């Protein structure tokens, strides 16, 4: 039996293409699940901050932020967000940029590492992205993050202690250092089995094809039992 394929994903919970990429990867994996010898995978999420200088409580909406951050005219930003919303809908995600509360995401990344240490990273990643893009929840303040951690069954007191002590900040910085070492300057970025880099929110078929290809090669290389 071959070892599972490792899929390491660098992303930011405030990145709209990262949530779309996550859904497309999940769809690609679902398509391979009925194969005679279905690929086995281990997925790990890694931290990447798109806008580390963003304040926790940003005064303005997403259009204000992007217009200021990217120097784009407001009408152009509105068109860009409309396009992203349409693409997200195609992946089954109902983005609500009108509700979105832009914030600094470093504490959310710390929480993801806390969740990973407690076996709930995947659930926490999904909860954070849904809260941010669909529900208009604040994901930058400790109180709000602890509430989200509690919702997925993590210990609220332990989550609060970890965030207040910045217990996992070093792990966040290590992820970011690894991204720099790989030359990753945009997300989402998928490293598949340590040898293939896939950049951007590729369609499900692209993930399906590369996963099947990697799995087939692993099966050939696996020692006979």
């Amino acid at each position: 039996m071959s070892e599972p394929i490792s899929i390491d994903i660098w992303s930011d919970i405030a990145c709209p293409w990262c949530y779309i990429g996550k859904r497309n990867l999940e769809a690609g994996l679902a398509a391979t699940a009925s194969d005679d010898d279905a690929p086995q995978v281990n997925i790990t999420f890694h931290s990447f901050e798109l806008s580390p200088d963003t304040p926790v409580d940003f005064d303005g909406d997403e259009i204000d932020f992007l217009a200021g951050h990217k120097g784009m005219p407001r009408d152009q930003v509105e068109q860009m967000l409309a396009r992203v919303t349409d693409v997200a809908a195609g992946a089954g995600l109902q983005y609500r940029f009108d509700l979105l509360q832009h914030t600094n995401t470093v504490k959310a990344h710390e929480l993801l590492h806390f969740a990973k240490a407690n076996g709930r990273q995947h659930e926490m990643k999904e909860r954070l992205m849904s809260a941010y893009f669909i529900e208009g929840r604040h994901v930058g303040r400790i109180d709000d993050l602890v509430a989200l951690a509690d919702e997925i069954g993590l210990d609220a007191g332990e989550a609060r202690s970890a965030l207040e002590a910045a217990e996992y900040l070093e792990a966040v910085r290590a992820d970011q250092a690894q991204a720099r070492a790989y030359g990753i300057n945009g997300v989402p970025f998928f490293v598949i089995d340590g040898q293939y880099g896939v950049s951007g929110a590729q369609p499900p078929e692209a993930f399906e094809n590369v996963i099947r290809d990697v799995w087939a090669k692993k099966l050939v290389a696996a020692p006979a039992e």
Side-chain angles (χ1 to χ4, degrees), residues 81-186:
L81 293 182
R83 174 175 172 267
V84 174
T85 300
D86 286 343
V87 176
L93 300 169
Q94 305 304 314
Y95 281 4
R96 290 294 304 273
F97 285 110
D98 57 320
L99 301 177
L100 188 149
Q101 298 186 63
H102 202 84
T103 187
N104 189 287
T105 62
V106 68
K107 285 295 177 187
H109 285 295
E110 291 178 34
L111 181 59
L112 282 167
H113 279 280
F114 168 79
K116 178 184 176 184
N118 287 276
R120 294 287 182 88
Q121 190 193 42
H122 290 198
E123 296 93 333
M124 195 73 257
K125 183 74 169 183
E126 178 65 28
R127 190 69 198 93
L128 284 165
M129 294 183 117
S130 176
Y132 186 72
F133 283 108
I134 296 172
E135 302 163 38
R137 299 272 292 271
H138 202 296
V139 299
R141 298 184 295 242
I142 289 178
D143 285 351
D144 300 276
L145 291 169
V146 169
L148 291 170
D150 183 62
E151 287 179 20
I152 67 160
L154 290 169
D155 185 282
E158 291 180 4
R160 181 178 297 279
S161 295
L163 293 175
E164 289 179 346
E167 185 177 341
Y168 291 92
L169 180 59
E170 186 175 341
V172 172
R173 299 305 183 218
D175 276 354
Q176 294 168 329
Q178 184 63 66
R180 289 192 294 274
Y182 279 150
I184 299 170
N185 52 28

